[in-house]
Amino acid sequence: MATLGARLRAASAPLVLALAAGVAGVAGSYLVAGFAQGFVAAPVESALSRAMPGVVVTYAILVLGSLGQQLNLLAAVGLAVGLFAVVAWFALGIGRQLAAPFVGPALAGTVVWGTTAALTGDPLLALGAAVPAAAVLAVPAIVSRLAGGSADAGGVDGERRSALGALAGALGFGLLAFVVGGRSGDAGGELEGTGERRARTERLLSEAREKSLDIAGLEPLVSDDFYEVDINSVDPQVDAEGWSLRVTGAVEAEIDLSYGELTSMPSESTFVSLRCVGEGLNGEKMDNALWEVVPIDDVLDRAGLSLDECCVMLRAADDYYEEFPAEALKRGYLAYGMNGRQLPRAHGSPVRALIPGHWGEINVKWLTEIEVLERPADGYWEERGWHGTGPVTTVAKLHVVNRLDDGRVQVAGHAYAGTRGVSRVEVSTDGGESWTDARLSEPLPGEDVWRQWAHEYDAPEGEHEVVVRAYEADGTRQPGERRSPFPRGATGWVTRTIEP
Ligand SMILES: Nc1nc2c(c(=O)[nH]1)N[C@H]1C(S)=C(S)[C@@H](COP(=O)(O)O)O[C@H]1N2
Ligand SMILES: [Mo]
């Protein structure tokens, strides 16, 4: 008579095997697809983030930051493994009923293939999930064949051993897939263009290098590492050849502009800074780049369109959408180059919108459609409670504290006021009692560009508090009132306690 323990062990074998198949299926999908749309966890993750209530997403953004998105991706991978495991478990059961050892694996493989193909829309890459899942399930049958056909060669323990072996193998395969599948093809390629354009971007980029303050740890005026904010973990991959921008809705005649048409129009190289409405007061989601752009007004003019309605809805290949006043769009750009190269995939390749002076969220990446609306509507983030379609607030950030060799303290950061421009930054080293002007980097050309500031001072005895605040071009001082990022962007003066 089998003991209870043995029975439990017998029952656990198919579960372990099913789990192994789930792991192998997800790993195989990643191995063939990489971190792209064909990876089975991608559509699951995107569905998860869309289904999440606005308050949860907002909490995740404000409290967890980018960790929130990583957790979401982890949950999606777990769900995909679980889904495949359930499929495998049922298929194994059916195979057992029929006493046909290879029916279960074949059935599971077919269902995993169908599910993955349906989720990702890629039947060929879906084989990458189906084959490893089926192969893992076939392991015990193969082992028992090799052991001379006697199904209970190893008995209950043998079955459990081979299930555990399959799980170990699947985890090893997962590790391999993680290493091999983690390729990145994200950098923007060479930007085609005349020598004149290349010379122009080179000149502007070197101007930015020369004007950057030489301070250890301070990001230069053209960001080395431009922040990314996306509603999905996996960025869409939009082919420039097949891309076009449609202007639809309340227009006399629709526009359909191809990539070739756009890039053959006269372009400009312009510095534009971006900042995310969801970042903390002294957060790091604020950056600057040199963009290759065509003014949206030129595109509308060419089509004989005058935008007379109130608003526009911009739509993108990742199903993102944002609505804002048509007036802001008319002063905006279509960007297809970044820092002298093609727009990288992560920043919206092949074409994104740039709306000077406005929060990042309406700078729609992977842009596919501009719909002209007769009345206001809510965008993706506004449906989740944010109000991030307006102009940015003014801020001076404090990101660098250096001890100089001569014993002085050096503090530095970036200041940004959108199209209002930064004219001055003041620093206090006594918690706001007295103020001194900071040094500023020379302004870069452009209507919407940040500046760097720096200040050196003799460290007082003991702990002290440094406060920074910016002034706009017209002399307006940055408001001191503290406000959380939610829902319309953080305000207040950045304060930092410096230890002796
Ligand atoms: N299609 C699309 N566009 C998008 C987003 C997105 O998730 N999808 N995120 C927006 C947000 S919230 C910000 S702050 C900026 C960030 O641009 P970046 O990733 O190039 O820094 O892109 C905006 N455009
Ligand atoms: Mo954002």
Side-chain angles (χ1 to χ4, degrees), residues 231-257:
I231 55 169
N232 302 313
S233 288
V234 175
D235 295 333
Q237 203 152 18
V238 185
D239 185 30
E241 299 295 301
W243 177 89
S244 77
L245 172 67
R246 301 198 312 131
V247 182
T248 64
V251 287
E252 271 173 29
E254 296 196 348
I255 302 181
D256 198 337
L257 182 79

Side-chain angles (χ1 to χ4, degrees), residues 13 21 51 84 132 153 234 296 346-348 400 460 468-469 499:
F84 287 175
V234 175
I296 289 181
H347 297 291
V400 173
V468 266
R469 63 188 188 195
E499 310 287 338

Side-chain angles (χ1 to χ4, degrees), residues 24-113:
V26 172
S29 174
Y30 186 67
L31 187 65
V32 295
F35 206 55
Q37 293 304 315
F39 177 37
V40 65
V44 177
E45 193 262 357
S46 134
L48 272 185
S49 53
R50 260 157 244 265
M52 204 93 73
V55 283
V56 178
V57 181
T58 296
Y59 170 85
I61 291 170
L62 299 178
V63 180
L64 302 175
S66 45
L67 179 67
Q69 195 158 33
Q70 280 153 13
L71 289 176
N72 198 43
L73 179 62
L74 202 66
V77 169
L79 269 180
V81 168
L83 176 72
F84 287 175
V86 168
V87 166
W89 190 79
F90 274 108
L92 281 181
I94 292 170
R96 267 170 204 246
Q97 293 287 311
L98 298 175
F102 290 103
V103 163
L107 186 61
T110 309
V111 177
V112 164
W113 173 79

Side-chain angles (χ1 to χ4, degrees), residues 61 227-230 275-279 285 320 359-362 381 386 388:
I61 291 170
Y227 81 92
E228 288 167 31
V229 174
D230 309 295
R275 182 180 170 208
C276 183
V277 68
E279 68 149 12
K285 292 194 171 89
Y320 183 74
W359 292 112
E361 65 165 58
I362 64 168
W381 287 115
W386 292 81

Side-chain angles (χ1 to χ4, degrees), residues 366-434:
W366 311 289
L367 182 67
T368 56
E369 185 186 343
I370 297 174
E371 187 191 350
V372 180
L373 305 178
E374 283 168 358
R375 63 193 91 245
D378 275 344
Y380 185 94
W381 287 115
E382 285 54 51
E383 284 176 349
R384 286 157 179 80
W386 292 81
H387 297 286
T389 61
V392 293
T393 56
T394 295
V395 72
K397 308 231 176 199
L398 200 178
H399 285 155
V400 173
V401 180
N402 291 327
R403 314 271 159 179
L404 301 180
D405 289 342
D406 60 13
R408 287 182 308 159
V409 179
Q410 179 178 59
V411 283
H414 294 83
Y416 179 50
T419 47
R420 298 181 300 279
V422 172
S423 59
R424 205 173 133 204
V425 169
E426 282 184 329
V427 184
S428 168
T429 59
D430 55 12
E433 295 284 312
S434 60

